[in-house]
Amino acid sequence: MGKKRLLIMLNLLSVLFLSLILLVVWRISFLGLSEIHEHLPVIIGAIFALISIILTLLLTLSIKGITPIFFEKTSYFLINMLFPISLKIGKLFGITKRKLESSFIAISNVLFSRHNFKVEGKDLLVITPHCLQLASCPHKITRDPNNCKRCGGCNIGDLMKLSDEMGFTFFVATGGTLARQIIKEKRPKVVLAIACERDLMSGIQDVYPLPAVGVLNIRPNGPCYNTKVDLDEVRSILKNIIVSKE
Ligand code: SF4
């Protein structure tokens, strides 16, 4: 199953589960409702059914990647809201949280790309975690990545060179608080974030509705230590977003 579909399929199962709960609630309250008014059970039943149908429809459209733009916020909210239930259902099938987070990022990136955002380099912020820096590097690059000597020891130097070439703002954050601070300060129109599944998912949710595209880091040495990033992937995403000034 495709990355994007995984979470949506579990979201659909979550909707099915919620619909069953609504059905039980409706059945239990049937007599009481009919005592209030003879048509009330039908009206309440119809409302419950409508809720289930709308939720299923929105999620099905998301699977096909054809959610109408004006429903995008609702779909996004729905996917977020159903995430904890989907996580529990996923566990029953042996699906890890990381896989679901990765699926969330894939969905979020598809929604992002549909907008075809175009901004000048100065309005785009690329943000990475500190673990992308070579652990033995003596230069302090958080707060000021210009301290990087571009020695080729890690991808920080490569991203600095790319930043000089394409004009985007580059920042290395030690955590979510610093990342939020810099976004508040720089006021970018678009963010490209590089991180692990967990940090990307929470980061994208945190900055929403600010458009953010996520790139997963590569962890050949395990999590949070001398991580890397696929520069070709970063460059190709940036090329599609950044427009030259002239
Ligand atoms: S590229 Fe920059 S951050 Fe990486 S090891 Fe060299 S000086 Fe340090």
Side-chain angles (χ1 to χ4, degrees):
M1 189 184 299
K3 238 189 196 183
K4 184 167 66 94
R5 283 169 182 249
L6 178 67
L7 180 57
I8 306 265
M9 289 310 286
L10 287 172
N11 278 176
L12 278 171
L13 283 178
S14 308
V15 170
L16 184 69
F17 176 69
L18 290 176
S19 303
L20 285 175
I21 294 179
L22 287 180
L23 184 67
V24 172
V25 170
W26 178 75
R27 192 69 199 90
I28 292 171
S29 55
F30 192 94
L31 275 180
L33 290 173
S34 56
E35 273 172 23
I36 299 171
H37 192 284
E38 56 175 326
H39 296 314
L40 201 53
V42 179
I43 294 170
I44 299 289
I47 292 173
F48 282 179
L50 199 66
I51 291 173
S52 302
I53 291 168
I54 290 174
L55 295 184
T56 310
L57 199 68
L58 278 175
L59 289 169
T60 310
L61 289 176
S62 301
I63 291 185
K64 301 208 174 287
I66 51 171
T67 318
I69 298 270
F70 51 90
F71 271 143
E72 209 175 273
K73 252 189 181 171
T74 318
S75 299
Y76 192 82
F77 171 77
L78 192 60
I79 291 165
N80 268 317
M81 190 190 76
L82 294 172
F83 192 83
I85 308 173
S86 303
L87 197 61
K88 293 239 174 339
I89 297 176
K91 263 190 191 160
L92 299 176
F93 297 101
I95 298 166
T96 62
K97 189 177 180 192
R98 181 178 287 183
K99 269 198 175 158
L100 283 191
E101 287 166 339
S102 174
S103 179
F104 174 90
I105 295 154
I107 295 167
S108 176
N109 282 353
V110 168
L111 295 180
F112 176 93
S113 64
R114 286 178 62 202
H115 286 273
N116 206 15
F117 292 108
K118 299 284 174 205
V119 297
E120 286 180 24
K122 66 176 177 55
D123 293 321
L124 191 142
L125 173 72
V126 173
I127 195 155
T128 75
H130 189 211
C131 60
L132 204 70
Q133 183 183 27
L134 190 69
S136 56
C137 173
H139 306 291
K140 186 163 170 53
I141 52 155
T142 48
R143 296 268 171 205
D144 189 4
N146 285 307
N147 290 332
C148 164
K149 304 296 173 222
R150 297 154 166 84
C151 74
C154 68
N155 286 144
I156 297 291
D158 300 319
L159 288 166
M160 282 304 294
K161 283 183 199 160
L162 205 56
S163 156
D164 293 342
E165 187 191 312
M166 301 180 101
F168 60 82
T169 306
F170 176 53
F171 197 81
V172 182
T174 42
T177 312
L178 190 57
R180 274 188 290 277
Q181 235 178 52
I182 196 71
I183 286 171
K184 218 172 161 187
E185 193 182 300
K186 302 281 178 196
R187 298 183 159 275
K189 290 184 181 156
V190 172
V191 173
L192 182 145
I194 299 166
C196 62
E197 290 86 347
R198 190 198 58 190
D199 288 356
L200 271 186
M201 181 171 163
S202 60
I204 290 171
Q205 286 171 328
D206 264 11
V207 300
Y208 190 81
L210 177 68
V213 57
V215 177
L216 278 175
N217 61 8
I218 305 164
R219 300 167 292 242
N221 307 296
C224 311
Y225 184 73
N226 286 347
T227 58
K228 295 184 185 307
V229 67
D230 182 342
L231 281 166
D232 290 338
E233 186 184 355
V234 173
R235 182 188 281 274
S236 110
I237 296 172
L238 290 175
K239 263 186 169 174
N240 280 325
I241 306 172
I242 297 178
V243 286
S244 58
K245 262 197 213 162
E246 324 144 64

